[in-house]
């Protein structure tokens, strides 16, 4: 159902089924399509309340019909991820589309440092199907194994999946060394067996300019 028209355009071929996509990301379609804005990330009233309480924002639309619909967002690179009964964790701003076999949610992932105690939340995608995630530049997929844990700058983090334990630890980054950091810098550490998707650029995070 999902295929890349180019590295920056997702094509979805539909035969009466539906997909959820980032609101406003449709760039073209042929055939007959119907569009409906979804509240709370398409998770109903409970999802809307949860996302409002956690500050995890995600505005999606449902696209249903017959034909082909093309999606893109700010010329971001698009990566197709297969979810087969496991759970994909992804930054909400990096989620472009999911097919009808997947459901989204919000999950607590840890505390941002013991001194501040702020909760961190992320969007989850689970079920059986395909998801399209975006990255600023071509994403790099890094393997985590029990012998080789991985530490990631949160500004470069996009998503992860597999049997991974995620934790946060204080640390310094290149920006911090240059005197450009702000707030309490932290790093994301992954242990176990799975995949982590990172992008070759850094966004601002809730930890400040890390």
């Amino acid at each position: 159902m999902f295929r890349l028209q180019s590295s920056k355009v997702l094509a979805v071929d539909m035969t009466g089924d539906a997909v959820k996509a980032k609101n406003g990301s449709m760039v073209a379609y042929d055939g007959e399509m119907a569009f409906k804005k979804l509240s709370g990330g398409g998770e109903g009233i409970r999802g809307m309340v949860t996302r409002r309480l956690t500050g995890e924002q995600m505005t999606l639309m449902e696209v249903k019909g017959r034909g082909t619909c093309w999606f893109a967002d700010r010329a971001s690179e698009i990566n197709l991820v297969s979810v087969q009964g496991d759970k994909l964790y992804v930054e909400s701003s990096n989620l472009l589309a999911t097919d009808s076999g997947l459901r989204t949610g919000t999950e607590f992932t840890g505390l941002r440092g013991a001194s501040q105690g702020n909760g961190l939340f992320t969007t989850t995608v689970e079920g059986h199907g395909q998801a399209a995630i975006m990255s600023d530049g071509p994403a790099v997929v890094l393997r985590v194994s029990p012998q080789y844990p991985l530490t990631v700058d949160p500004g470069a983090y996009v998503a992860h999946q597999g049997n991974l334990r995620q934790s946060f630890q204080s640390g310094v980054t290149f920006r911090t060394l240059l005197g450009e950091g702000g707030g309490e810098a932290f790093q994301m550490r992954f242990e176990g067996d799975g995949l982590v998707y990172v992008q070759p650029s850094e966004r601002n995070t809730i930890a400040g300019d890390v």
Side-chain angles (χ1 to χ4, degrees):
M1 179 191 284
F2 283 18
R3 56 186 172 88
L4 293 180
Q5 189 78 33
S6 71
S7 65
K8 300 179 180 181
V9 179
L10 170 70
V12 182
D13 301 314
M14 287 183 278
T15 57
D17 41 2
V19 298
K20 291 193 293 186
K22 186 174 183 178
N23 197 40
S25 62
M26 187 277 295
V27 294
Y29 70 91
D30 62 22
E32 296 294 329
M33 299 288 170
F35 300 86
K36 180 174 69 174
K37 184 177 180 180
L38 300 174
S39 59
E43 299 147 24
I45 298 298
R46 182 177 180 181
M48 181 170 60
V49 172
T50 300
R51 289 187 177 276
R52 186 168 297 173
L53 290 175
T54 60
E56 181 73 2
Q57 300 296 321
M58 185 171 64
T59 305
L60 296 180
M61 61 181 178
E62 181 185 73
V63 184
K64 186 176 183 179
R66 296 180 180 274
T68 301
C69 198
W70 289 269
F71 301 93
D73 186 56
R74 295 171 297 174
S76 298
E77 297 283 336
I78 301 172
N79 311 270
L80 298 183
V81 179
S82 177
V83 181
Q84 299 300 326
D86 55 340
K87 188 178 293 187
L88 172 71
Y89 297 81
V90 58
E91 289 289 315
S92 59
S93 60
N94 293 94
L95 182 61
L96 178 63
T98 61
D99 70 23
S100 58
L102 297 176
R103 59 190 181 276
T104 58
T106 308
E107 189 164 311
F108 175 75
T109 57
L111 292 175
R112 174 197 156 190
S115 65
Q116 292 181 320
N118 293 335
L120 295 179
F121 299 84
T122 192
T123 291
T124 58
V125 180
E126 55 187 322
H128 291 80
Q130 281 187 299
I133 62 176
M134 300 178 292
S135 58
D136 186 4
V140 178
V141 185
L142 302 175
R143 163 68 66 178
V144 181
S145 67
Q147 296 81 15
Y148 295 98
L150 180 71
T151 301
V152 176
D153 188 307
Y157 168 80
V158 173
H160 73 273
Q161 67 181 144
N163 186 23
L164 292 177
R165 298 182 303 279
Q166 178 185 351
S167 60
F168 297 91
Q169 59 188 24
S170 297
V172 296
T173 66
F174 186 63
R175 290 188 186 184
T176 306
L177 293 175
L178 291 177
E180 299 176 356
E184 179 187 359
F186 67 90
Q187 297 169 338
M188 305 172 71
R189 181 177 174 86
F190 296 93
E191 299 176 273
D193 187 13
L195 301 174
V196 179
Y197 299 79
V198 298
Q199 60 186 10
S201 67
E202 294 185 22
R203 73 176 79 79
N204 289 335
T205 70
I206 64 170
D209 296 326
V210 298

